[in-house]
Amino acid sequence: MTTALAIARQPLPLSLKLIYAAGQTGNVMTYQIITTYVLSFYSPPEGKGAALIPAFLLGAFSTYFLLNVLARGFDTFWDPIVANWSDRSTSRLGRRRVFMLAGVLPLALTAGLLFFPPDQGSSLANVVWLGVVLTAYYASFSVYVAPYLALLPELAPEKDESTSLSTLQAAAGLLGALLVMVVAPALFGAVAGAGRGALQTMVAAMAALSFLLMALPVLFLDEGALSRRPPGAQASHLGLFASLRETLSDRAFLPYVAGYTLFFFGFNIVSTGATFYVEVLMRGSLFDVAKVLGPMFGVAGLSFPFIGLATRRSSKKAMMVFAAAALAVLMAFVPFVRDLGHGMLLFALAGIPVAIFMAIPNAMVADISSASARRTGERREAMFFGAQGFLQKISLGISTGLFSWVKDAFGSSVEHPTGVQLTGPLTSAVLVLAAIAFAFYPEARVTREMGEDG
């Protein structure tokens, strides 16, 4: 028994860490496909092609905005429902893997199908298609990602180890975003030329690759053998509303999740706006996105090895406050971007706060859930990530719709770019609020409750 316990508490081997991280590469690829290309595919910038969905709903509010709201309205409560089912599961495959198995194919499939609407021109059928498939995508994302993230504190329950695995996970996520936003546009733009057909080919290839990557942890991680439980803590027995209430009332989780949701709100405006910044403000083409975002990914990748060291010398809280404030300052310069050179410099500098945002939050949730398990005896790892996903999806829908509304209401053409320019200062304001929220995170108390000295 002692030997088995000692073996169980050994750090996760690098090979298994890489297999776990592959799931992040895959799911980020699907997310990045949606946030980067769906809006410009269905409702391109003025002068860059015909819209595939009519702008006939509620005047200034775009059709895309309303479809996001409807899809999110359906999916809003799905994250905590899946999380609660996962926390209470007794499946032989494991509390997490059984849901990841159910979600992996629909997630990759719906990400691709979004770019194959029934009509080549603007039509109501395309509106219905976009709304239904977008809803199915968000639901599938919950089924795979909430349980997947909940594996992090189970595989790496100690504070430093969770930071290390979360940083590797972030690097894997950066790779996924790099493949979709830089490598694929450069490859398919050169091979097939710019246009919807090239974009559809690219998306189909990326969706297939995302499926293969997300399947790796499902197939090769033995959850029962690898999961390490906090002493005295048992799988959750709480129902959905009781579990969600306990999670949202956690005094450490509240300031964290407020900061994360606001940061994600601002970050998603930037992600959604990337193609518009390139095509409208920098006067490039869709496939010039690779030239602008490449430096950001490069700087972010170079930053990852230093994040763990910087976190140990300061704190996760301090790192997130810095990241939010730094990105806020940078996004305030969006209205002044005039060419690809300006854009490359701005996004390169953004690589540092983006790397921090990708690496630290999941480790913070792992700390919070581990502290909660030791304090309450209830293992609700998935619910913490599910509650975060619940707010993240609302944030994603509103921020994407807000960007769409602002660019439509104030202008998104090269001649009238005001709407696209305004999204920069708007992002800055939201990120300042994120920094303030993170400042209230009680990291020292979380560390004590985890039974660590810091």
Side-chain angles (χ1 to χ4, degrees):
M1 178 68 72
T2 304
T3 302
L5 182 61
I7 293 174
R9 291 189 177 277
Q10 291 298 312
L12 198 67
L14 178 61
S15 59
L16 295 183
K17 288 181 178 179
L18 292 174
I19 288 173
Y20 175 72
Q24 184 75 350
T25 302
N27 80 67
V28 167
M29 287 178 69
T30 70
Y31 161 78
Q32 211 62 60
I33 287 169
I34 305 303
T35 58
T36 305
Y37 299 114
V38 164
L39 180 58
S40 61
F41 181 82
Y42 281 90
S43 180
E46 296 174 27
K48 298 291 184 177
L52 295 180
I53 51 176
F56 60 84
L57 298 175
L58 295 185
F61 286 92
S62 71
T63 303
Y64 188 76
F65 177 89
L66 291 176
L67 289 175
N68 264 278
V69 171
L70 291 173
R72 292 301 185 184
F74 176 84
D75 188 47
T76 292
F77 297 100
W78 190 236
D79 257 314
I81 290 173
V82 171
N84 184 245
W85 286 346
S86 179
D87 282 339
R88 301 172 67 185
S89 173
T90 57
S91 170
R92 290 183 179 180
L93 283 176
R95 297 195 300 162
R96 315 307 181 193
R97 271 208 303 170
V98 65
F99 289 91
M100 293 163 62
L101 177 63
V104 60
L105 179 59
L107 180 55
L109 188 61
T110 52
L113 286 176
L114 276 167
F115 293 83
F116 292 87
D119 292 334
Q120 297 301 309
S122 179
S123 72
L124 182 60
N126 287 347
V127 174
V128 174
W129 177 266
L130 178 58
V132 170
V133 181
L134 196 62
T135 301
Y137 167 79
Y138 291 145
S140 301
F141 193 88
S142 295
V143 173
Y144 183 89
V145 174
Y148 167 78
L149 293 176
L151 277 175
L152 175 61
E154 298 185 27
L155 298 175
E158 286 78 29
K159 186 177 179 182
D160 287 344
E161 190 180 5
S162 70
T163 302
S164 173
L165 183 56
S166 179
T167 302
L168 179 60
Q169 184 186 53
L174 183 71
L175 174 62
L178 180 71
L179 288 171
V180 171
M181 301 176 75
V182 178
V183 176
L187 176 62
F188 286 90
V191 171
R196 281 197 174 113
L199 185 59
Q200 288 174 318
T201 302
M202 181 188 83
V203 165
M206 292 297 99
L209 179 58
S210 73
F211 170 76
L212 295 176
L213 291 168
M214 289 188 292
L216 290 178
V218 179
L219 295 175
F220 298 109
L221 286 183
D222 185 345
E223 183 180 336
L226 297 172
S227 180
R228 290 180 285 170
R229 306 174 181 178
Q234 301 297 323
S236 177
H237 69 280
L238 296 176
L240 170 63
F241 293 106
S243 181
L244 184 59
R245 182 175 62 251
E246 288 296 316
T247 301
L248 293 177
S249 64
D250 189 291
R251 289 181 296 169
F253 185 65
L254 277 178
Y256 160 78
V257 80
Y260 176 86
T261 302
L262 289 165
F263 199 126
F264 185 84
F265 189 104
F267 180 73
N268 188 62
I269 292 178
V270 176
S271 298
T272 304
T275 58
F276 291 87
Y277 297 150
V278 171
E279 292 189 275
V280 176
L281 303 184
M282 304 173 206
R283 306 192 179 197
S285 72
L286 179 63
F287 292 93
D288 283 326
V289 172
K291 298 178 183 178
V292 173
L293 296 185
M296 182 184 78
F297 288 113
V299 171
L302 293 173
S303 300
F304 282 130
F306 302 99
I307 289 177
L309 176 62
T311 302
R312 286 191 292 272
R313 291 191 173 185
S314 56
S315 67
K316 295 172 185 175
K317 169 182 173 177
M319 294 289 283
M320 290 308 302
V321 171
F322 166 77
L327 192 57
V329 171
L330 291 172
M331 289 304 101
F333 287 95
V334 164
F336 307 103
V337 171
R338 292 291 182 269
D339 54 41
L340 289 173
H342 290 158
M344 291 171 67
L345 176 60
L346 181 66
F347 278 87
L349 293 173
I352 296 174
V354 166
I356 295 170
F357 177 61
M358 295 181 72
I360 299 300
N362 284 344
M364 293 176 76
V365 179
D367 292 349
I368 294 167
S369 64
S370 294
S372 173
R374 288 175 177 267
R375 186 178 67 251
T376 66
E378 287 271 344
R379 295 175 60 210
R380 293 180 285 109
E381 299 94 343
M383 184 54 78
F384 280 98
F385 284 102
Q388 174 177 280
F390 166 83
L391 296 172
Q392 177 181 339
K393 287 187 175 182
I394 294 174
S395 172
L396 179 60
I398 295 175
S399 59
T400 302
L402 181 62
F403 180 93
S404 177
W405 176 78
V406 170
K407 65 99 174 173
D408 287 346
F410 295 97
S412 63
S413 66
V414 172
E415 296 78 15
H416 302 286
T418 305
V420 177
Q421 291 172 325
L422 285 175
T423 62
L426 176 63
T427 299
S428 296
V430 174
L431 289 168
V432 168
L433 296 176
I436 293 171
F438 279 123
F440 287 92
Y441 172 64
E443 185 165 14
R445 181 168 61 80
V446 170
T447 300
R448 289 195 301 272
E449 290 179 349
M450 290 176 70
E452 302 183 23
D453 295 328

